[in-house]
Amino acid sequence: MPVVDGFEAARRIRCPSSLVRDRKIPIVATTAHVQEGYRQRCLDIGMHDYIPKPVNPDAMYAKIAQWAMDA
């Protein structure tokens, strides 16, 4: 992303003073970073889930369906 990374975007969305109407909206990270602890870092920031790249379309659709049903 040109201005902020996914972590900063998630922080801004989750911030209590955010103007986002639904701060609980599901956020699923899609990243090439697969280091130990990266998924947990995503969750700690307030993201709901994590999909490593290269993205498997079936896995992506399953995650979207999962979080759409929970939203």
Side-chain angles (χ1 to χ4, degrees):
M1 293 189 299
V3 179
V4 298
D5 64 15
F7 290 118
E8 182 59 26
R11 280 189 205 97
R12 291 181 185 190
I13 291 168
R14 300 293 186 237
C15 179
S17 62
S18 170
L19 298 178
V20 174
R21 291 194 308 181
D22 182 5
R23 290 190 314 271
K24 295 180 181 177
I25 190 167
I27 301 172
V28 178
T30 304
T31 180
H33 296 286
V34 293
Q35 297 97 335
E36 182 72 28
Y38 198 82
R39 181 178 188 280
Q40 188 59 50
R41 182 176 175 207
C42 292
L43 299 176
D44 290 345
I45 292 292
M47 297 180 187
H48 285 73
D49 218 323
Y50 165 93
I51 300 173
K53 291 180 183 177
V55 174
N56 173 310
D58 292 332
M60 180 181 69
Y61 294 134
K63 293 283 185 188
I64 292 169
Q66 172 191 345
W67 290 110
M69 296 299 290
D70 291 344

